[in-house]
Amino acid sequence: MTINQLQDKIIEDFEGVDDWMDRYSMIIDLGNTLPPIDEKYKTPAHLIEGCQSRVWLNAELTPEGLVRYTADSDAIIVKGIIALLIEVLNDHAPSEIVDSDLYFIDRIGLAENLSPTRSNGLLAMVKQMKMYALAFKARQDAEKK
C-alpha cells in the first residue's frame, strides 16, 4: 500500500469513533502492538529531541532500499502515536517518505487533541523520521553517481 492509502485507512478507522477517549484507547492499543526496539538503540543518540516523554527511534535501510523504523516510548499515548507514524511510513522508499504529506494527523484530529508539549513531540517524531529518510535518500543518490 502507498503512504496515502495507509493514511486513508487510518482516517477510515478513526471516522467511526467520535469520542476522544475511545480514540486514545485505539492509539494505546496500537502502541501495544509495536514490536520492541532492540535495547542497543535505547541510547541518548536515538532519543528524539523535543519530546516531553522519552522516545527512541531507529531506522535502517533494507536490502530492497526501503526504510524500516523501530521505536519505543516510556509513555503509552506517545508509544501509540509513534506506532501510527511507523504504520504509515514503514517499508517505503526514502524519497516517498521525504515527499509525503502526513495529512492523516490533521484529518483524525490528533494534533488538536494533544497537549501543546505532546503536539510538539509529534512534530519532532515526524521530523526525525523524515531526517532518517533524507539521509538514506542522500546515500542512495550518491551511490547512483
Side-chain angles (χ1 to χ4, degrees), residues 61-86:
L61 199 59
T62 68
E64 300 80 27
L66 305 176
V67 181
R68 171 101 17 100
Y69 296 100
T70 55
D72 196 7
S73 176
D74 60 0
I76 57 173
I77 292 278
V78 176
K79 189 172 181 174
I81 292 168
I82 195 74
L84 266 174
L85 293 170
I86 287 174

Side-chain angles (χ1 to χ4, degrees), residues 31 33-43 45-48 54-60 68-74 79 82 86 132:
T33 68
L34 194 63
I37 192 170
D38 192 311
E39 287 297 317
K40 71 182 178 185
Y41 299 122
K42 283 193 170 183
T43 65
H46 288 88
L47 276 172
I48 296 178
R54 294 190 312 166
V55 181
W56 297 272
L57 177 68
N58 184 58
E60 296 176 358
R68 171 101 17 100
Y69 296 100
T70 55
D72 196 7
S73 176
D74 60 0
K79 189 172 181 174
I82 195 74
I86 287 174
Y132 273 123

